[in-house]
Amino acid sequence: MKLTEAKAQFISSWGAFGTHWGINRTMAQIHALLLVSARPLTQDDVMEELDISRGNVNMNMRDLISWGLVDRVLLPGERKEYFTAEKDIWKVATQIIKERKKRELDPMLKLLQQLENVDGDKKDADTKQFIETISGIRKFGGQADKMLDVMVKADESWFLGSLLKFFK
Amino acid sequence: MKLTEAKAQFISSWGAFGTHWGINRTMAQIHALLLVSARPLTQDDVMEELDISRGNVNMNMRDLISWGLVDRVLLPGERKEYFTAEKDIWKVATQIIKERKKRELDPMLKLLQQLENVDGDKKDADTKQFIETISGIRKFGGQADKMLDVMVKADESWFLGSLLKFFK
DNA sequence: TTGAATTTTCAAAACTTATTGAAAATAAAT
DNA sequence: ATTTATTTTCAATAAGTTTTGAAAATTCAA
């Protein structure tokens, strides 16, 4: 397969993949494009490569920057802004974990904690089931939370190396 | 907080949570409702509780069943079908992991393997970057894949117990 | 069988989210 | 200070997704 075709294939699949994870297709595609580009790109480059409008590129790029996945780069002597993506996939993953934990997991755990203290007779079947379900989810979420904390603090070789030994 | 209010709160938050993970709001809400119900519910129960149409309940319920998260239950002497959700959150999580791995991760890894064999000069910056990025993602994905395999085969106490010790 | 209860389907409508493109704002060069 | 290049914003529109509801299909009982 030729490079151009392979790139297109990767960008398209990565975009489709993203939509299963609550990320919009275009954002994932821009990210994919930057991931496989040896050099930083301008908004115009992205517009041309993906055939999308300037406003679209601009907004999604901002979003990628706010997720910490893309950086603005100023090339000396150039008027235009350039954009580049972190290429180390471990860093990408920990960055995403960090953000999603903050935006989604932590607030959910906080809510579950409150809901666990629902008032009412603990002998009532519905109340009992509610408390059991909520506390089950909270405990599980708490463990996941701890594990992700260690993960984002660890460095790749340590983490994957250890896990690998651990799981044979 | 009263039980009714707490339930409503949980169902609504779980629905919002779901949308961040590529799951539609209603499916997540039906799942939440079944998770906190002490007894199986009919389509009519769900229609009433969530104030949604019959067709909507029916389609999302099918989907939940295909994900292995909900079961049909036939109560003796009853004409209607009842539905119930697996309450053990570890089982729920491993079930979801198993399905998403099969539907998303495995095909992606297969694609990356193919893309790694792109033809072209490995000294060309673009080709080099492409191969490096793709193989980086593939290696990382491969590790994740292995870890998830162990997880879905393990049982909760073993897995979380071991991880907990492992991560202090 | 026939008829009533129940479930399933799916085209149309409602709703949600993403995209465009042109105008406004900003920044740099002359 | 003015012109020119570039980026940002956002109302309008397009595209995509979810929901409805009524008709068709199925299931069960008499």
Side-chain angles (χ1 to χ4, degrees):
Chain A
M1 195 188 287
K2 301 255 324 171
L3 181 62
T4 321
E5 194 192 337
K7 263 193 188 183
Q9 175 82 261
F10 173 63
I11 289 167
S12 147
S13 305
W14 201 249
F17 198 65
T19 58
H20 285 126
W21 292 87
I23 291 148
N24 99 39
R25 183 187 255 53
T26 305
M27 204 196 310
Q29 288 185 346
I30 294 175
H31 188 219
L33 174 61
L34 290 174
L35 277 175
V36 297
S37 297
R39 42 190 72 265
L41 302 180
T42 62
Q43 291 200 348
D44 291 84
D45 293 334
V46 177
M47 286 168 65
E48 168 144 352
E49 290 265 2
L50 303 181
D51 193 18
I52 56 181
S53 73
R54 180 176 304 285
N56 200 0
V57 173
N58 191 278
M59 292 191 121
N60 282 295
M61 204 66 99
R62 285 169 134 275
D63 240 336
L64 283 166
I65 291 170
S66 91
W67 276 87
L69 299 174
V70 165
D71 286 319
R72 270 176 226 279
V73 180
L74 291 166
L75 297 195
E78 287 274 11
R79 178 79 179 269
K80 287 188 177 179
E81 285 180 325
Y82 283 75
F83 299 90
T84 186
E86 169 60 56
K87 300 294 199 308
D88 179 338
I89 211 68
W90 172 260
K91 283 190 191 152
V92 172
T94 53
Q95 185 61 37
I96 291 171
I97 289 169
K98 213 192 288 177
E99 287 290 331
R100 297 198 80 156
K101 207 170 98 52
K102 186 174 73 194
R103 296 177 193 205
E104 298 158 28
L105 186 57
D106 294 347
M108 177 53 79
L109 289 177
K110 223 171 135 197
L111 173 69
L112 293 172
Q113 237 152 40
Q114 287 167 17
L115 295 181
E116 232 174 329
N117 299 317
V118 66
D119 22 87
D121 181 5
K122 276 163 198 166
K123 285 191 193 96
D124 168 61
D126 280 336
T127 309
K128 202 165 157 246
Q129 181 62 65
F130 184 82
I131 294 173
E132 263 171 31
T133 299
I134 298 296
S135 94
I137 297 175
R138 193 191 48 69
K139 277 178 201 141
F140 181 80
Q143 293 293 353
D145 196 59
K146 271 186 214 154
M147 176 173 151
L148 296 175
D149 267 343
V150 175
M151 223 179 138
V152 300
K153 277 173 201 142
D155 109 320
E156 175 168 23
S157 56
W158 179 81
F159 187 82
L160 287 185
S162 308
L163 266 192
L164 203 52
K165 261 181 273 168
F166 187 67
F167 291 127
K168 196 175 57 301
Chain B
M1 196 188 285
K2 302 259 317 174
L3 182 61
T4 320
E5 194 193 337
K7 263 193 187 182
Q9 175 82 262
F10 173 62
I11 289 167
S12 146
S13 304
W14 201 250
F17 198 65
T19 58
H20 285 126
W21 291 86
I23 291 148
N24 97 41
R25 183 187 254 51
T26 305
M27 203 196 311
Q29 288 185 347
I30 295 176
H31 188 219
L33 174 62
L34 290 173
L35 276 176
V36 297
S37 297
R39 41 189 74 262
L41 302 180
T42 63
Q43 290 201 350
D44 291 85
D45 292 334
V46 176
M47 284 168 68
E48 168 145 352
E49 290 264 2
L50 302 181
D51 194 19
I52 57 180
S53 74
R54 182 176 303 286
N56 200 0
V57 172
N58 191 279
M59 291 192 119
N60 281 297
M61 204 66 99
R62 283 170 135 275
D63 239 336
L64 284 165
I65 291 170
S66 91
W67 276 87
L69 299 174
V70 165
D71 287 320
R72 270 175 226 278
V73 180
L74 291 166
L75 297 195
E78 287 271 15
R79 178 78 179 270
K80 287 187 175 179
E81 285 180 324
Y82 283 75
F83 298 91
T84 186
E86 168 61 55
K87 300 296 201 303
D88 180 338
I89 211 68
W90 172 260
K91 284 191 189 148
V92 172
T94 53
Q95 186 59 38
I96 292 171
I97 289 169
K98 213 191 286 175
E99 287 290 331
R100 298 198 79 158
K101 208 170 98 53
K102 186 174 74 197
R103 296 175 192 207
E104 298 158 28
L105 185 55
D106 294 347
M108 176 53 78
L109 290 177
K110 221 171 136 197
L111 173 69
L112 292 172
Q113 235 152 43
Q114 287 167 17
L115 295 181
E116 232 174 329
N117 298 318
V118 66
D119 21 88
D121 179 5
K122 276 163 197 166
K123 285 191 193 96
D124 169 60
D126 281 334
T127 308
K128 201 163 159 249
Q129 181 62 64
F130 184 82
I131 293 173
E132 263 171 30
T133 298
I134 297 296
S135 94
I137 297 176
R138 193 192 47 71
K139 276 179 202 142
F140 182 80
Q143 294 292 353
D145 195 58
K146 271 186 214 154
M147 176 173 151
L148 295 175
D149 268 342
V150 174
M151 222 177 140
V152 300
K153 277 173 203 143
D155 110 319
E156 175 169 21
S157 56
W158 179 81
F159 187 83
L160 288 185
S162 307
L163 267 192
L164 203 53
K165 260 182 270 166
F166 187 68
F167 291 128
K168 198 175 42 330

PDB file of all heavy atoms in Angstrom, chain B residues 124-151:
ATOM      1  N   ASP B 124      12.614   8.546   4.008  1.00  0.00           N
ATOM      2  CA  ASP B 124      11.728   9.695   3.774  1.00  0.00           C
ATOM      3  C   ASP B 124      11.033  10.063   5.087  1.00  0.00           C
ATOM      4  O   ASP B 124      10.476   9.214   5.784  1.00  0.00           O
ATOM      5  CB  ASP B 124      10.693   9.319   2.708  1.00  0.00           C
ATOM      6  CG  ASP B 124       9.586  10.350   2.607  1.00  0.00           C
ATOM      7  OD1 ASP B 124       9.894  11.521   2.319  1.00  0.00           O
ATOM      8  OD2 ASP B 124       8.414   9.985   2.850  1.00  0.00           O
ATOM      9  N   ALA B 125      11.102  11.360   5.450  1.00  0.00           N
ATOM     10  CA  ALA B 125      10.602  11.803   6.757  1.00  0.00           C
ATOM     11  C   ALA B 125       9.139  11.420   6.988  1.00  0.00           C
ATOM     12  O   ALA B 125       8.782  10.951   8.067  1.00  0.00           O
ATOM     13  CB  ALA B 125      10.774  13.311   6.903  1.00  0.00           C
ATOM     14  N   ASP B 126       8.312  11.613   5.963  1.00  0.00           N
ATOM     15  CA  ASP B 126       6.890  11.325   6.121  1.00  0.00           C
ATOM     16  C   ASP B 126       6.623   9.834   6.323  1.00  0.00           C
ATOM     17  O   ASP B 126       5.829   9.449   7.182  1.00  0.00           O
ATOM     18  CB  ASP B 126       6.102  11.823   4.906  1.00  0.00           C
ATOM     19  CG  ASP B 126       5.862  13.322   4.978  1.00  0.00           C
ATOM     20  OD1 ASP B 126       5.845  13.851   6.101  1.00  0.00           O
ATOM     21  OD2 ASP B 126       5.709  13.945   3.918  1.00  0.00           O
ATOM     22  N   THR B 127       7.302   9.026   5.510  1.00  0.00           N
ATOM     23  CA  THR B 127       7.145   7.578   5.639  1.00  0.00           C
ATOM     24  C   THR B 127       7.606   7.112   7.015  1.00  0.00           C
ATOM     25  O   THR B 127       6.943   6.314   7.676  1.00  0.00           O
ATOM     26  CB  THR B 127       7.976   6.858   4.556  1.00  0.00           C
ATOM     27  OG1 THR B 127       7.645   7.419   3.290  1.00  0.00           O
ATOM     28  CG2 THR B 127       7.679   5.367   4.549  1.00  0.00           C
ATOM     29  N   LYS B 128       8.744   7.655   7.418  1.00  0.00           N
ATOM     30  CA  LYS B 128       9.311   7.282   8.713  1.00  0.00           C
ATOM     31  C   LYS B 128       8.339   7.634   9.838  1.00  0.00           C
ATOM     32  O   LYS B 128       8.028   6.810  10.706  1.00  0.00           O
ATOM     33  CB  LYS B 128      10.632   8.032   8.910  1.00  0.00           C
ATOM     34  CG  LYS B 128      11.550   7.391   9.924  1.00  0.00           C
ATOM     35  CD  LYS B 128      12.989   7.904   9.806  1.00  0.00           C
ATOM     36  CE  LYS B 128      13.762   7.671  11.086  1.00  0.00           C
ATOM     37  NZ  LYS B 128      14.097   8.903  11.815  1.00  0.00           N
ATOM     38  N   GLN B 129       7.830   8.845   9.801  1.00  0.00           N
ATOM     39  CA  GLN B 129       6.901   9.283  10.847  1.00  0.00           C
ATOM     40  C   GLN B 129       5.647   8.418  10.854  1.00  0.00           C
ATOM     41  O   GLN B 129       5.158   8.044  11.913  1.00  0.00           O
ATOM     42  CB  GLN B 129       6.521  10.754  10.639  1.00  0.00           C
ATOM     43  CG  GLN B 129       5.586  11.292  11.704  1.00  0.00           C
ATOM     44  CD  GLN B 129       6.233  11.258  13.085  1.00  0.00           C
ATOM     45  OE1 GLN B 129       7.216  11.925  13.331  1.00  0.00           O
ATOM     46  NE2 GLN B 129       5.684  10.437  13.986  1.00  0.00           N
ATOM     47  N   PHE B 130       5.154   8.111   9.671  1.00  0.00           N
ATOM     48  CA  PHE B 130       3.935   7.296   9.583  1.00  0.00           C
ATOM     49  C   PHE B 130       4.158   5.943  10.245  1.00  0.00           C
ATOM     50  O   PHE B 130       3.401   5.528  11.120  1.00  0.00           O
ATOM     51  CB  PHE B 130       3.523   7.106   8.118  1.00  0.00           C
ATOM     52  CG  PHE B 130       2.232   6.350   7.962  1.00  0.00           C
ATOM     53  CD1 PHE B 130       1.011   6.996   8.097  1.00  0.00           C
ATOM     54  CD2 PHE B 130       2.236   4.974   7.707  1.00  0.00           C
ATOM     55  CE1 PHE B 130      -0.184   6.292   7.970  1.00  0.00           C
ATOM     56  CE2 PHE B 130       1.045   4.273   7.580  1.00  0.00           C
ATOM     57  CZ  PHE B 130      -0.166   4.934   7.712  1.00  0.00           C
ATOM     58  N   ILE B 131       5.227   5.273   9.858  1.00  0.00           N
ATOM     59  CA  ILE B 131       5.501   3.941  10.416  1.00  0.00           C
ATOM     60  C   ILE B 131       5.703   4.018  11.925  1.00  0.00           C
ATOM     61  O   ILE B 131       5.180   3.193  12.678  1.00  0.00           O
ATOM     62  CB  ILE B 131       6.726   3.309   9.720  1.00  0.00           C
ATOM     63  CG1 ILE B 131       6.388   3.020   8.256  1.00  0.00           C
ATOM     64  CG2 ILE B 131       7.139   2.021  10.434  1.00  0.00           C
ATOM     65  CD1 ILE B 131       7.561   2.550   7.433  1.00  0.00           C
ATOM     66  N   GLU B 132       6.437   5.022  12.364  1.00  0.00           N
ATOM     67  CA  GLU B 132       6.672   5.148  13.811  1.00  0.00           C
ATOM     68  C   GLU B 132       5.372   5.346  14.582  1.00  0.00           C
ATOM     69  O   GLU B 132       5.148   4.717  15.609  1.00  0.00           O
ATOM     70  CB  GLU B 132       7.599   6.335  14.093  1.00  0.00           C
ATOM     71  CG  GLU B 132       9.049   5.906  14.256  1.00  0.00           C
ATOM     72  CD  GLU B 132       9.989   7.108  14.324  1.00  0.00           C
ATOM     73  OE1 GLU B 132       9.551   8.179  14.812  1.00  0.00           O
ATOM     74  OE2 GLU B 132      11.141   6.972  13.860  1.00  0.00           O
ATOM     75  N   THR B 133       4.541   6.246  14.087  1.00  0.00           N
ATOM     76  CA  THR B 133       3.272   6.517  14.782  1.00  0.00           C
ATOM     77  C   THR B 133       2.405   5.269  14.819  1.00  0.00           C
ATOM     78  O   THR B 133       1.904   4.866  15.872  1.00  0.00           O
ATOM     79  CB  THR B 133       2.509   7.654  14.083  1.00  0.00           C
ATOM     80  OG1 THR B 133       3.295   8.845  14.143  1.00  0.00           O
ATOM     81  CG2 THR B 133       1.178   7.906  14.765  1.00  0.00           C
ATOM     82  N   ILE B 134       2.242   4.672  13.653  1.00  0.00           N
ATOM     83  CA  ILE B 134       1.377   3.487  13.568  1.00  0.00           C
ATOM     84  C   ILE B 134       1.897   2.372  14.460  1.00  0.00           C
ATOM     85  O   ILE B 134       1.129   1.748  15.200  1.00  0.00           O
ATOM     86  CB  ILE B 134       1.287   2.986  12.108  1.00  0.00           C
ATOM     87  CG1 ILE B 134       0.648   4.054  11.216  1.00  0.00           C
ATOM     88  CG2 ILE B 134       0.511   1.680  12.029  1.00  0.00           C
ATOM     89  CD1 ILE B 134      -0.773   4.385  11.535  1.00  0.00           C
ATOM     90  N   SER B 135       3.202   2.150  14.437  1.00  0.00           N
ATOM     91  CA  SER B 135       3.691   1.023  15.230  1.00  0.00           C
ATOM     92  C   SER B 135       3.622   1.351  16.717  1.00  0.00           C
ATOM     93  O   SER B 135       3.372   0.474  17.534  1.00  0.00           O
ATOM     94  CB  SER B 135       5.096   0.603  14.772  1.00  0.00           C
ATOM     95  OG  SER B 135       6.083   1.227  15.542  1.00  0.00           O
ATOM     96  N   GLY B 136       3.800   2.620  17.060  1.00  0.00           N
ATOM     97  CA  GLY B 136       3.622   3.032  18.451  1.00  0.00           C
ATOM     98  C   GLY B 136       2.208   2.756  18.941  1.00  0.00           C
ATOM     99  O   GLY B 136       1.999   2.186  20.026  1.00  0.00           O
ATOM    100  N   ILE B 137       1.237   3.124  18.135  1.00  0.00           N
ATOM    101  CA  ILE B 137      -0.153   2.889  18.523  1.00  0.00           C
ATOM    102  C   ILE B 137      -0.436   1.395  18.598  1.00  0.00           C
ATOM    103  O   ILE B 137      -1.087   0.917  19.518  1.00  0.00           O
ATOM    104  CB  ILE B 137      -1.123   3.567  17.527  1.00  0.00           C
ATOM    105  CG1 ILE B 137      -0.926   5.085  17.545  1.00  0.00           C
ATOM    106  CG2 ILE B 137      -2.572   3.229  17.879  1.00  0.00           C
ATOM    107  CD1 ILE B 137      -1.758   5.831  16.524  1.00  0.00           C
ATOM    108  N   ARG B 138       0.091   0.652  17.633  1.00  0.00           N
ATOM    109  CA  ARG B 138      -0.172  -0.777  17.608  1.00  0.00           C
ATOM    110  C   ARG B 138       0.417  -1.471  18.840  1.00  0.00           C
ATOM    111  O   ARG B 138      -0.222  -2.312  19.469  1.00  0.00           O
ATOM    112  CB  ARG B 138       0.383  -1.415  16.343  1.00  0.00           C
ATOM    113  CG  ARG B 138      -0.153  -2.841  16.125  1.00  0.00           C
ATOM    114  CD  ARG B 138       0.578  -3.610  15.051  1.00  0.00           C
ATOM    115  NE  ARG B 138       2.019  -3.539  15.140  1.00  0.00           N
ATOM    116  CZ  ARG B 138       2.757  -4.124  16.078  1.00  0.00           C
ATOM    117  NH1 ARG B 138       2.185  -4.829  17.035  1.00  0.00           N
ATOM    118  NH2 ARG B 138       4.065  -3.985  16.075  1.00  0.00           N
ATOM    119  N   LYS B 139       1.632  -1.080  19.204  1.00  0.00           N
ATOM    120  CA  LYS B 139       2.251  -1.711  20.375  1.00  0.00           C
ATOM    121  C   LYS B 139       1.449  -1.403  21.630  1.00  0.00           C
ATOM    122  O   LYS B 139       1.154  -2.286  22.441  1.00  0.00           O
ATOM    123  CB  LYS B 139       3.688  -1.213  20.551  1.00  0.00           C
ATOM    124  CG  LYS B 139       4.683  -1.974  19.697  1.00  0.00           C
ATOM    125  CD  LYS B 139       6.107  -1.423  19.873  1.00  0.00           C
ATOM    126  CE  LYS B 139       6.971  -1.778  18.669  1.00  0.00           C
ATOM    127  NZ  LYS B 139       7.907  -0.685  18.305  1.00  0.00           N
ATOM    128  N   PHE B 140       1.098  -0.148  21.787  1.00  0.00           N
ATOM    129  CA  PHE B 140       0.311   0.257  22.946  1.00  0.00           C
ATOM    130  C   PHE B 140      -1.025  -0.477  22.977  1.00  0.00           C
ATOM    131  O   PHE B 140      -1.412  -1.042  24.008  1.00  0.00           O
ATOM    132  CB  PHE B 140       0.082   1.763  22.892  1.00  0.00           C
ATOM    133  CG  PHE B 140      -0.670   2.290  24.069  1.00  0.00           C
ATOM    134  CD1 PHE B 140      -0.021   2.527  25.266  1.00  0.00           C
ATOM    135  CD2 PHE B 140      -2.035   2.540  23.977  1.00  0.00           C
ATOM    136  CE1 PHE B 140      -0.727   3.004  26.361  1.00  0.00           C
ATOM    137  CE2 PHE B 140      -2.744   3.020  25.064  1.00  0.00           C
ATOM    138  CZ  PHE B 140      -2.081   3.249  26.263  1.00  0.00           C
ATOM    139  N   GLY B 141      -1.677  -0.494  21.836  1.00  0.00           N
ATOM    140  CA  GLY B 141      -2.965  -1.188  21.742  1.00  0.00           C
ATOM    141  C   GLY B 141      -2.831  -2.669  22.071  1.00  0.00           C
ATOM    142  O   GLY B 141      -3.698  -3.246  22.730  1.00  0.00           O
ATOM    143  N   GLY B 142      -1.732  -3.266  21.610  1.00  0.00           N
ATOM    144  CA  GLY B 142      -1.483  -4.679  21.881  1.00  0.00           C
ATOM    145  C   GLY B 142      -1.389  -4.961  23.379  1.00  0.00           C
ATOM    146  O   GLY B 142      -1.948  -5.937  23.881  1.00  0.00           O
ATOM    147  N   GLN B 143      -0.691  -4.071  24.087  1.00  0.00           N
ATOM    148  CA  GLN B 143      -0.583  -4.231  25.546  1.00  0.00           C
ATOM    149  C   GLN B 143      -1.943  -4.101  26.210  1.00  0.00           C
ATOM    150  O   GLN B 143      -2.313  -4.901  27.074  1.00  0.00           O
ATOM    151  CB  GLN B 143       0.361  -3.174  26.140  1.00  0.00           C
ATOM    152  CG  GLN B 143       1.809  -3.309  25.719  1.00  0.00           C
ATOM    153  CD  GLN B 143       2.463  -4.564  26.281  1.00  0.00           C
ATOM    154  OE1 GLN B 143       1.868  -5.270  27.090  1.00  0.00           O
ATOM    155  NE2 GLN B 143       3.672  -4.853  25.824  1.00  0.00           N
ATOM    156  N   ALA B 144      -2.661  -3.078  25.816  1.00  0.00           N
ATOM    157  CA  ALA B 144      -3.991  -2.872  26.380  1.00  0.00           C
ATOM    158  C   ALA B 144      -4.849  -4.107  26.129  1.00  0.00           C
ATOM    159  O   ALA B 144      -5.558  -4.593  27.023  1.00  0.00           O
ATOM    160  CB  ALA B 144      -4.638  -1.644  25.745  1.00  0.00           C
ATOM    161  N   ASP B 145      -4.752  -4.608  24.929  1.00  0.00           N
ATOM    162  CA  ASP B 145      -5.509  -5.796  24.546  1.00  0.00           C
ATOM    163  C   ASP B 145      -5.221  -6.965  25.483  1.00  0.00           C
ATOM    164  O   ASP B 145      -6.139  -7.596  26.012  1.00  0.00           O
ATOM    165  CB  ASP B 145      -5.124  -6.168  23.112  1.00  0.00           C
ATOM    166  CG  ASP B 145      -6.099  -7.139  22.485  1.00  0.00           C
ATOM    167  OD1 ASP B 145      -7.288  -6.793  22.415  1.00  0.00           O
ATOM    168  OD2 ASP B 145      -5.672  -8.244  22.099  1.00  0.00           O
ATOM    169  N   LYS B 146      -3.935  -7.216  25.709  1.00  0.00           N
ATOM    170  CA  LYS B 146      -3.548  -8.317  26.605  1.00  0.00           C
ATOM    171  C   LYS B 146      -4.108  -8.112  27.996  1.00  0.00           C
ATOM    172  O   LYS B 146      -4.643  -9.029  28.626  1.00  0.00           O
ATOM    173  CB  LYS B 146      -2.014  -8.385  26.717  1.00  0.00           C
ATOM    174  CG  LYS B 146      -1.358  -9.242  25.669  1.00  0.00           C
ATOM    175  CD  LYS B 146       0.148  -9.351  25.967  1.00  0.00           C
ATOM    176  CE  LYS B 146       0.935  -9.430  24.675  1.00  0.00           C
ATOM    177  NZ  LYS B 146       2.318  -8.926  24.808  1.00  0.00           N
ATOM    178  N   MET B 147      -3.963  -6.891  28.481  1.00  0.00           N
ATOM    179  CA  MET B 147      -4.415  -6.603  29.836  1.00  0.00           C
ATOM    180  C   MET B 147      -5.927  -6.809  29.952  1.00  0.00           C
ATOM    181  O   MET B 147      -6.406  -7.398  30.926  1.00  0.00           O
ATOM    182  CB  MET B 147      -4.058  -5.156  30.172  1.00  0.00           C
ATOM    183  CG  MET B 147      -4.579  -4.750  31.531  1.00  0.00           C
ATOM    184  SD  MET B 147      -3.967  -3.121  31.979  1.00  0.00           S
ATOM    185  CE  MET B 147      -5.338  -2.600  33.018  1.00  0.00           C
ATOM    186  N   LEU B 148      -6.659  -6.353  28.968  1.00  0.00           N
ATOM    187  CA  LEU B 148      -8.119  -6.503  29.015  1.00  0.00           C
ATOM    188  C   LEU B 148      -8.519  -7.978  28.940  1.00  0.00           C
ATOM    189  O   LEU B 148      -9.464  -8.406  29.598  1.00  0.00           O
ATOM    190  CB  LEU B 148      -8.765  -5.711  27.872  1.00  0.00           C
ATOM    191  CG  LEU B 148      -8.579  -4.195  27.991  1.00  0.00           C
ATOM    192  CD1 LEU B 148      -9.133  -3.486  26.763  1.00  0.00           C
ATOM    193  CD2 LEU B 148      -9.224  -3.642  29.262  1.00  0.00           C
ATOM    194  N   ASP B 149      -7.752  -8.746  28.156  1.00  0.00           N
ATOM    195  CA  ASP B 149      -8.014 -10.188  28.099  1.00  0.00           C
ATOM    196  C   ASP B 149      -7.921 -10.820  29.476  1.00  0.00           C
ATOM    197  O   ASP B 149      -8.783 -11.602  29.878  1.00  0.00           O
ATOM    198  CB  ASP B 149      -6.987 -10.867  27.177  1.00  0.00           C
ATOM    199  CG  ASP B 149      -7.493 -10.952  25.762  1.00  0.00           C
ATOM    200  OD1 ASP B 149      -8.714 -10.806  25.572  1.00  0.00           O
ATOM    201  OD2 ASP B 149      -6.676 -11.175  24.854  1.00  0.00           O
ATOM    202  N   VAL B 150      -6.855 -10.482  30.185  1.00  0.00           N
ATOM    203  CA  VAL B 150      -6.694 -11.036  31.530  1.00  0.00           C
ATOM    204  C   VAL B 150      -7.855 -10.599  32.404  1.00  0.00           C
ATOM    205  O   VAL B 150      -8.446 -11.385  33.145  1.00  0.00           O
ATOM    206  CB  VAL B 150      -5.363 -10.581  32.151  1.00  0.00           C
ATOM    207  CG1 VAL B 150      -5.274 -11.049  33.598  1.00  0.00           C
ATOM    208  CG2 VAL B 150      -4.196 -11.115  31.353  1.00  0.00           C
ATOM    209  N   MET B 151      -8.196  -9.338  32.264  1.00  0.00           N
ATOM    210  CA  MET B 151      -9.263  -8.777  33.095  1.00  0.00           C
ATOM    211  C   MET B 151     -10.593  -9.495  32.903  1.00  0.00           C
ATOM    212  O   MET B 151     -11.253  -9.845  33.880  1.00  0.00           O
ATOM    213  CB  MET B 151      -9.443  -7.313  32.700  1.00  0.00           C
ATOM    214  CG  MET B 151      -9.640  -6.415  33.882  1.00  0.00           C
ATOM    215  SD  MET B 151      -9.754  -4.709  33.331  1.00  0.00           S
ATOM    216  CE  MET B 151     -11.068  -4.176  34.429  1.00  0.00           C
TER     217      MET B 151
END
